[in-house]
């Protein structure tokens, strides 16, 4: 494969992109596409097309965000991660900036094809991404919070498909979850972040409890959300415990990778509470895609 092409592909973090799509699909379920007669009236028609637009919008927005993240981190990566596409010289800094900006713009444009409301949510997401990339990530608290906010807005982008924001508070779940992952990632280079790992474990448990409680209190679903949550908990806690026991950069990186990819499991758990088991499995099908790509491309 061409080295330059591979460099541009690596910048977009292909293994992470299915997790962005999973957010949208979970948001679509929260937004009520499967409620009452809406499913039979709309699936297979214009709403299905709008879901496709929003999935593509989210993927482009995510890709643009991680590309520009590397642009802003150029000087730091020259020291800590010189093998990355920009500091290694595979992708010129100016080209990467244009690449990221264009990708982000396409993402916003695709959302406006759905509705003005979706476009505004996508624009808010793009601004949140830029805020994180340029400023927020430098701060111990505001950085993880800002990254979580991006995921929360991404979930709301899926919710916007029908304009029904009755369950807007569901956006708090990915905010807390991504806050936890970002805390763990602070030790990727140097290790020694046991305190962050303990806090992340508490936040993970909070997320599991929150999704289970919402499924019980607001929906008729019981068994399937529980099954999905058990799989999710196993996936994130196993590498987290290992990273705490042997607090090395390698184990911390594995815990971060597991956390990012497990977003698909989390989204499946949320979606199955607002839809049906088969829809949760459809989202879960993104997991092997993400895991396969993670063997070819870096997640972090």
């Amino acid at each position: 494969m061409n080295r330059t092409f591979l460099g541009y592909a690596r910048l977009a973090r292909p293994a992470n992109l299915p997790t962005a799509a999973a957010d949208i699909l979970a948001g679509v379920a929260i937004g009520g596409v499967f409620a009452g007669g809406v499913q039979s009236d709309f699936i297979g028609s214009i709403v299905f097309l709008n879901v496709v637009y929003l999935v593509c919008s989210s993927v482009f927005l995510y890709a643009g965000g991680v590309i520009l993240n590397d642009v802003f981190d150029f000087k730091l990566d020259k020291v800590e991660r010189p093998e990355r596409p920009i500091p290694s010289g595979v992708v010129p800094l100016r080209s990467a900036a244009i690449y990221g900006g264009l990708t982000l713009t396409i993402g916003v444009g695709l959302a406006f094809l759905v509705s003005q409301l979706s476009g505004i949510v996508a624009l808010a997401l793009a601004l949140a991404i830029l805020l994180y990339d340029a400023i927020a990530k430098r701060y111990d608290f505001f950085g993880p919070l800002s990254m979580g906010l991006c995921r929360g807005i991404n979930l709301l982008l899926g919710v916007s498909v029908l304009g029904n924001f009755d369950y807007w508070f569901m956006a708090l779940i990915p905010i807390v979850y991504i806050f936890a992952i970002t805390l763990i990632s602070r030790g990727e280079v140097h290790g020694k972040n046991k305190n962050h790992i303990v806090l992340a474990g508490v936040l993970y448990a909070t997320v599991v409890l929150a999704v289970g409680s919402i499924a019980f209190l607001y929906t008729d679903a019981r068994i399937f959300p529980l099954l999905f949550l058990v799989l999710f908990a196993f996936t994130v806690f196993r590498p987290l415990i290992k990273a705490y026991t042997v607090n090395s950069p390698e184990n911390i990186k594995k815990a971060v990778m597991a956390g990012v990819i497990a977003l698909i499991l989390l989204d499946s758990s949320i979606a199955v509470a607002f839809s049906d088991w088969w829809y949760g499995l459809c989202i879960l099908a993104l997991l092997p895609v993400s895991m396969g790509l993670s063997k070819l491309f870096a997640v972090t």
Side-chain angles (χ1 to χ4, degrees):
M1 187 180 294
N2 182 275
R3 186 166 177 260
T4 301
F5 175 81
L6 188 60
Y8 278 95
R10 286 176 59 200
L11 280 177
R13 306 289 200 284
N16 300 30
L17 300 183
T19 70
D23 289 345
I24 298 299
L25 296 176
V28 165
I30 295 169
V33 165
F34 296 92
V38 176
Q39 177 181 356
S40 60
D41 291 342
F42 289 103
I43 292 298
S45 59
I46 191 168
V47 168
F48 179 79
L49 181 60
N50 285 343
V51 170
V52 173
Y53 280 140
L54 290 180
V55 166
C56 293
S57 169
S58 177
V59 168
F60 273 92
L61 285 165
Y62 189 100
V66 293
I67 293 164
L68 292 176
N69 182 66
D70 278 15
V71 171
F72 283 106
D73 276 355
F74 169 63
K75 291 183 179 179
L76 180 64
D77 284 346
K78 284 181 69 175
V79 177
E80 294 186 348
R81 303 174 181 90
E83 75 282 355
R84 286 191 168 178
I86 300 175
S88 67
V90 174
V91 179
L93 181 62
R94 184 171 181 273
S95 298
I98 294 172
Y99 177 35
L102 182 61
T103 306
L104 208 64
T105 302
I106 292 172
V108 173
L110 285 168
F112 271 106
L113 292 177
V114 175
S115 69
Q116 185 177 22
L117 177 61
S118 293
I120 291 172
V121 174
L123 185 59
L125 177 53
L127 292 175
I129 288 170
L130 289 173
L131 175 64
Y132 173 80
D133 285 347
I135 301 172
K137 66 184 176 187
R138 294 178 174 83
Y139 298 90
D140 288 340
F141 176 81
F142 192 48
L145 180 63
S146 179
M147 175 65 86
L149 183 63
C150 291
R151 279 289 179 172
I153 298 174
N154 194 42
L155 186 72
L156 292 178
L157 183 59
V159 173
S160 74
V161 68
L162 294 181
N164 176 16
F165 286 90
D166 289 347
Y167 296 100
W168 61 269
F169 53 84
M170 294 296 297
L172 296 174
I173 291 174
I175 290 175
V176 172
Y177 181 65
I178 294 299
F179 189 99
I181 295 176
T182 310
L183 278 178
I184 301 168
S185 71
R186 294 301 170 95
E188 268 191 276
V189 176
H190 305 293
K192 300 178 181 179
N193 69 338
K194 283 193 172 184
N195 290 337
H196 282 173
I197 288 177
V198 171
L199 179 54
V202 172
L203 294 176
Y204 278 175
T206 302
V207 165
V208 172
L209 180 62
V211 175
S213 298
I214 288 167
F216 181 80
L217 294 172
Y218 293 97
T219 75
D220 296 326
R222 297 291 186 274
I223 300 299
F224 288 110
L226 179 61
L227 292 175
F228 279 79
L229 281 172
V230 168
L231 181 58
F232 165 72
F234 177 80
T235 302
V236 295
F237 276 108
R238 186 181 181 187
L240 191 69
I241 293 170
K242 188 173 182 180
Y244 180 85
T245 305
V246 182
N247 199 218
S248 65
E250 181 183 359
N251 284 340
I252 292 168
K253 188 172 183 178
K254 288 180 180 178
V256 173
M257 289 173 61
V260 171
I261 292 174
L263 269 161
I264 295 171
L265 289 167
L266 178 60
D267 285 326
S268 299
S269 303
I270 294 171
V272 78
F274 289 89
S275 56
D276 208 342
W277 63 268
W278 64 266
Y279 188 69
L281 289 179
C282 287
I283 298 176
L284 196 60
L286 293 170
L287 185 61
V289 176
S290 186
M291 293 178 68
L293 288 171
S294 70
K295 295 178 181 179
L296 301 174
F297 300 96
V299 172
T300 61

